[in-house]
């Protein structure tokens, strides 16, 4: 029987060379195409960083205007996609709706290799899908996109139906930039695997959305708020977290496959969240839960190097800008579609089908 090198969870295995991002888990560093992600989040916008990831450089004024124009021109959903969203029962979760709606967008025949036009068209529509569904669930008529607003401001406007608060737009933009790209994470890998078969962009992104949904990946932030709410008071933090660890449970928003030190996105988002949440008792409780959680993880899981991850403070930022829990993971997808699609383009530019092995441990026929 043939035995291949076994790498459960593919830990420590590289499946591609990329110039999109460096995730340095030992030193807690995150670089997008030669730029610190943290600096991009402070000094640039969603559209500028998307341009960097898709085209390889930050845009000139003209390039930025062109990209903004293309994104705006592609925000509307085809009627059949709106119809499909409206047919999905209200108790189906938002990520399933997003996955279905993206899938329904479809691509023309012979849509491989994927193009930048397809990538921009798709990225522009994700916020509209989420906002359309959210408005329906709230019993409101969905608002159309507003051409005078940038990507992030328009997303907030469509979700809330009110003029977006500039501080909220800035905070959400920082979150959306810091989560656009993150190396060969599970959803990006899923997208690359699909693309490596020469399947189309929509199929790749549909697969990536399915992978992002899980609580060990992008599904964690709403579980962070559930955890904080279940804890309820500072006094209850230690007994609650201890009971969770005693029963073999995981603390949501802690730990990371790659980061064995503080997740740099968590560091940056902590600042963003604290600026908006100075007087918010929820944030005060969350930072207490973080402190106690870190102490207990050191006690129960010594030497595992478990720190707060991006999801812990993503929950805090999204809550601070007034987004409902049900929107946390879909909003992650609104951002990460940029990285997924950049990887799909990169995969297509130097493609070899991704086809690992498994080792058979069953019995043989008599
Ligand atoms: N709480 C308690 N124990 C943990 C946690 C946690 N959050 N994370 C890891 N451990 C323990 C785990 O029980 C194991 O202990 P032992 O050696 O005694 O069996 C050890 O640490 C190693 O865990 P692992 O499952 O081998 O680690 P992994 O690299 O496969 O998992 C992870 C990474 C993110 C799935 C995991 O840390 C986790 O489940 N965290 C909670 C969920 C979460 O916050 N997810 C968001 C991740 S960040 C967003 C993203 O980039 O996708």
């Amino acid at each position: 029987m043939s035995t291949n090198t076994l790498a459960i969870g593919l830990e420590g295995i590289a499946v591609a060379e990329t110039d999109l991002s460096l995730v340095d888990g030992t030193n807690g560093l995150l670089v997008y195409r030669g730029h610190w992600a943290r600096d991009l989040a402070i000094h640039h916008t969603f559209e500028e960083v998307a341009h960097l990831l898709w085209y390889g450089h930050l845009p000139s004024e003209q390039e930025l205007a062109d990209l903004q124009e293309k994104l705006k021109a592609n925000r509307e959903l085809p009627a059949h996609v709106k119809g499909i969203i409206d047919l999905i029962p209200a108790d189906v979760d938002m990520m399933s709706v997003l996955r279905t709606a993206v899938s329904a967008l479809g691509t023309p025949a012979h849509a491989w290799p994927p193009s930048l036009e397809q990538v921009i068209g798709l990225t522009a529509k994700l916020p509209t899908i989420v906002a359309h569904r959210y408005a329906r669930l709230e019993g409101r008529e969905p608002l159309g996109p507003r051409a005078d607003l940038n990507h992030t401001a328009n997303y907030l406007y469509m979700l809330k139906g009110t003029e977006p608060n500039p501080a909220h737009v800035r905070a959400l933009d920082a979150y959306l930039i810091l989560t656009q790209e993150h190396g060969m994470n599970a959803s990006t890998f899923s997208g690359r695997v699909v693309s490596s078969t020469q399947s189309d962009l929509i199929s790749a992104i549909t697969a990536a959305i399915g992978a992002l949904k899980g609580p060990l990946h992008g599904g964690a932030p709403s579980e962070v708020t559930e955890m904080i709410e279940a804890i309820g008071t500072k006094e209850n933090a230690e007994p609650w977290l201890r009971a969770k660890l005693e029963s073999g449970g995981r603390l949501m928003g802690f730990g990371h496959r790659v980061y064995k030190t503080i997740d740099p996105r968590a560091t940056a988002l902590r600042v963003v969240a604290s600026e908006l949440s100075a007087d918010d008792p929820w944030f005060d409780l969350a930072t207490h839960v973080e402190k106690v959680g870190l102490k207990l993880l050191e006690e129960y899981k010594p030497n595992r190097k478990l720190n707060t991850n991006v999801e812990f403070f993503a929950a805090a930022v999204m809550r601070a800008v007034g987004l409902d829990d049900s929107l946390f993971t879909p909003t992650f997808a609104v951002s990460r579609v940029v990285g997924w699609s950049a990887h799909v383009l990169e995969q297509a530019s130097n493609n070899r089908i991704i086809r690992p092995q498994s080792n058979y441990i069953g019995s043989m026929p008599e």
Side-chain angles (χ1 to χ4, degrees):
M1 232 179 287
S2 70
T3 305
N4 302 285
T5 309
L6 191 60
I8 301 281
L10 295 181
E11 184 160 6
I13 304 289
V15 298
E17 289 191 315
T18 183
D19 57 12
L20 292 169
S21 67
L22 165 73
V23 182
D24 177 344
T26 311
N27 299 302
L29 305 175
L30 178 58
V31 173
Y32 293 175
R33 288 199 189 271
H35 300 259
W36 297 115
R38 177 199 56 212
D39 291 349
L40 291 169
I42 295 169
H43 301 297
H44 293 276
T45 63
F46 179 93
E47 289 89 334
E48 288 173 317
V49 181
H51 190 287
L52 171 69
L53 290 169
W54 290 334
Y55 293 87
H57 60 273
L58 284 166
S60 66
E61 219 170 290
Q62 188 55 50
E63 286 170 329
L64 178 60
D66 290 348
L67 178 59
Q68 281 169 330
E69 215 38 61
K70 284 183 190 162
L71 284 165
K72 285 176 182 173
N74 278 285
R75 286 174 178 166
E76 285 285 357
L77 301 180
H80 79 275
V81 174
K82 292 187 201 171
I84 287 170
I85 297 172
D86 293 346
L87 280 172
I88 302 175
D91 60 353
V92 174
D93 69 277
M94 187 70 93
M95 283 301 279
S96 298
V97 174
L98 181 63
R99 193 192 57 227
T100 302
V102 166
S103 180
L105 288 170
T107 26
H110 313 299
W112 202 90
S115 68
L116 271 161
E117 298 305 314
Q118 291 170 3
V119 160
I120 293 167
L122 176 60
T123 301
K125 288 182 184 62
L126 258 64
T128 322
I129 294 172
V130 177
H132 181 100
R133 174 67 171 182
Y134 188 65
R136 286 277 188 243
L137 291 177
E138 284 210 310
R140 281 192 285 114
E141 193 54 36
L143 291 165
R146 255 176 60 185
D148 60 319
L149 297 175
N150 69 22
H151 195 74
T152 304
N154 175 59
Y155 181 44
L156 268 181
Y157 161 73
M158 289 191 300
L159 284 175
K160 295 192 181 187
T162 53
E163 201 59 33
N165 170 333
H168 289 181
V169 173
R170 198 52 223 136
L172 188 59
D173 214 42
Y175 165 75
L176 294 175
I177 290 169
L178 283 163
T179 49
Q180 274 187 10
E181 162 56 12
H182 206 239
M184 198 57 71
N185 55 83
S187 54
T188 299
F189 180 59
S190 307
R192 280 189 85 134
V193 169
V194 172
S195 190
S196 81
T197 69
Q198 297 194 355
S199 186
D200 59 284
L201 174 75
I202 293 293
S203 298
I205 302 303
T206 304
I209 292 171
L212 185 74
K213 182 182 172 187
L216 297 189
H217 189 9
S222 52
E223 304 214 9
V224 171
T225 55
E226 277 166 27
M227 176 178 75
I228 310 271
E229 257 126 54
I231 291 172
T233 61
K234 285 188 179 176
E235 298 67 44
N236 195 32
E238 178 144 356
W240 194 97
L241 294 168
R242 196 176 279 285
K244 185 83 175 171
L245 290 167
E246 287 283 347
S247 66
R250 294 195 171 209
L251 308 187
M252 286 297 152
F254 295 87
H256 198 272
R257 170 62 66 79
V258 181
Y259 293 119
K260 298 306 169 198
T261 180
I262 187 88
D263 179 338
R265 301 167 299 171
T267 310
L269 289 179
R270 179 206 304 274
V271 176
V272 174
S274 64
E275 279 166 7
L276 291 177
S277 315
D279 304 319
D280 182 355
W282 186 94
F283 188 68
D284 189 37
L285 176 60
T287 48
H288 181 74
V289 167
E290 181 198 21
K291 200 168 83 193
V292 178
L294 290 173
K295 184 187 87 175
L296 293 182
L297 284 169
E298 197 50 51
E299 181 184 329
Y300 282 83
K301 300 284 174 183
N303 310 318
R304 308 300 198 292
K305 301 192 167 113
L306 300 171
N307 286 281
T308 331
N309 64 45
V310 65
E311 304 290 31
F312 195 91
F313 289 101
V317 170
M318 286 194 264
R319 202 181 164 280
V321 303
L323 298 193
D324 182 85
D325 281 25
S326 67
L327 293 167
F328 290 2
T329 307
T331 301
F332 192 171
V334 160
S335 149
R336 184 55 63 82
V337 69
V338 175
W340 290 333
S341 51
H343 275 273
V344 165
L345 292 169
E346 190 177 66
Q347 180 70 34
S349 70
N350 185 18
N351 189 47
R352 185 162 190 233
I353 188 167
I354 299 174
R355 204 300 186 192
Q357 296 269 27
S358 52
N359 290 336
Y360 180 65
I361 56 165
S363 59
M364 290 299 284
E366 293 291 312

